[in-house]
Amino acid sequence: MKSDKISDAVVRRLPVYLRFLNELSHREVLTVSSQELGQKLDLNPAQIRKDLAYFGDFGRKGIGYDVSYLIEKIRQILNLDQQINVALVGAGNLGQALSNYNTYVKDNMRIIAIFDDSPDKVGQKVKDITIQPIDELEKTVRDKHIKIGIITVPDVEAQRVADQLVAAGIEAILNFAPTILKVPSGVRIHAADFTTDLISLAYYLQGGKE
Amino acid sequence: MKSDKISDAVVRRLPVYLRFLNELSHREVLTVSSQELGQKLDLNPAQIRKDLAYFGDFGRKGIGYDVSYLIEKIRQILNLDQQINVALVGAGNLGQALSNYNTYVKDNMRIIAIFDDSPDKVGQKVKDITIQPIDELEKTVRDKHIKIGIITVPDVEAQRVADQLVAAGIEAILNFAPTILKVPSGVRIHAADFTTDLISLAYYLQGGKE
DNA sequence: TAGATTGTTAATCGATTAACAATC
DNA sequence: TAGATTGTTAATCGATTAACAATC
């Protein structure tokens, strides 16, 4: 089966597969079955086969999936066969932590610009990237072909920053601010606000309702 | 309708409602309809009414929901009417950023202990909390009635830390490491790994398949 | 060949949305 | 009273899982 509309739930599992496949590759495992994948990733094997089958026939009956081949294919699907430039807006604690992180470099994703408006931040360096004022955002995003924006500014500034990113032609946003952002339908947005997650965990505590 | 089994999707929306209701309360808005909530939060009004109705009859027909009353009720549902102690394991960049964050204090959630094993971190202070070695985790968690653990250690250490948290009697874990953790069924775990989110965004970039 | 495992269809399960009587 | 909005049932939609023929 080739692509209909692929649901977001499917797309979000692809990086999970990729990560584990990379680990297998590192351990020089050549082949893996949906069964084994399911066990490790806590997913139903049928679901994994179905997810992958949306994009092509990557497996071999009776054998399973060739690890390197599947890595290559998933990387293509996720556009990770080309470099993807990312901008980060908001160089506070969290923003700086994310920049330093940059594990995703091996996945061809790279934060190549950082913006912040506070005067004591502008001009400072975070790991060889100089923090720029936000009014340079639009030009830099265009000039450097930045496709994804990460928002780590405070709550109240998030929508304004999102608008600027959109105006600059960004295609996707990862939003760490605890606000629902309104963006045009062409722009993809994912909420990454962990406080929501953390607070929802409280529901499950004993002494509360089960 | 009173509680059957409430799905995780419902529980995760409660903090979203709560946050916006707090904002309304701050603006001294007294009453809100599911219509208005839905508009602001990008959710279907029927879904909001249904979510709330799982827990009780909080609204008034023809009127809507009393903001303060609904805040009180959601806080009860989420156990936020009592203080919830949180431990953070891993005082790297991200861990320190999260500790400094502590917006959730107003929601009665508080990081009250931080653990790390690297010798240059132990004994240091992060905002009046002294970083402790991980082998003090179990005792501290028990003594201080810590119920939730946040994991911000590297990948390879995450499962070991999770095991220790579980052994110490923690009830829920927020995991920032990009690994699927195995925990006993009594323990609630949420994945908060933003690299997965970020990478999945790449799928939606133009020049890739739509 | 016999055993394993895929790709895919059909069945199931669960979550979202529509519709509306009840009622403020 | 007329208009608004809830709580809830029924309808819809979509995602997960089971099952199995195809085939390595």
Side-chain angles (χ1 to χ4, degrees), chain A residues 28-98:
Chain A
E28 295 176 40
V29 176
L30 298 180
T31 276
V32 68
S33 68
S34 60
Q35 176 94 197
E36 297 169 79
L37 281 167
Q39 204 142 58
K40 278 295 183 177
L41 303 177
D42 261 337
L43 296 170
N44 182 296
Q47 181 169 63
I48 295 173
R49 295 200 297 280
K50 201 161 200 263
D51 284 356
L52 296 174
Y54 282 118
F55 302 100
D57 289 3
F58 301 147
R60 285 209 295 158
K61 291 177 172 142
I63 310 287
Y65 299 89
D66 180 279
V67 172
S68 320
Y69 181 69
L70 192 52
I71 287 174
E72 189 195 325
K73 285 302 177 186
I74 294 180
R75 288 178 58 84
Q76 281 171 14
I77 294 163
L78 289 172
N79 296 313
L80 299 176
D81 50 352
Q82 51 199 285
Q83 188 182 308
I84 296 173
N85 294 329
V86 178
L88 185 137
V89 192
N93 274 308
L94 182 61
Q96 299 210 19
L98 299 192

Side-chain angles (χ1 to χ4, degrees), chain B residues 25-46:
Chain B
S25 171
H26 187 73
R27 290 199 257 126
E28 295 176 40
V29 176
L30 297 181
T31 275
V32 69
S33 68
S34 59
Q35 177 93 196
E36 297 169 79
L37 280 168
Q39 204 140 59
K40 279 294 184 180
L41 303 177
D42 261 337
L43 295 170
N44 182 297

Side-chain angles (χ1 to χ4, degrees), chain B residues 139-176:
Chain B
K139 182 169 190 328
T140 305
V141 164
R142 290 196 194 284
D143 289 354
K144 297 197 170 173
H145 308 289
I146 292 172
K147 294 287 166 51
I148 296 182
I150 301 179
I151 296 183
T152 47
V153 297
D155 216 348
V156 286
E157 295 165 33
Q159 181 64 59
R160 189 170 50 75
V161 167
D163 294 344
Q164 286 174 286
L165 285 168
V166 170
I170 219 103
E171 294 176 21
I173 291 175
L174 187 61
N175 175 35
F176 282 86

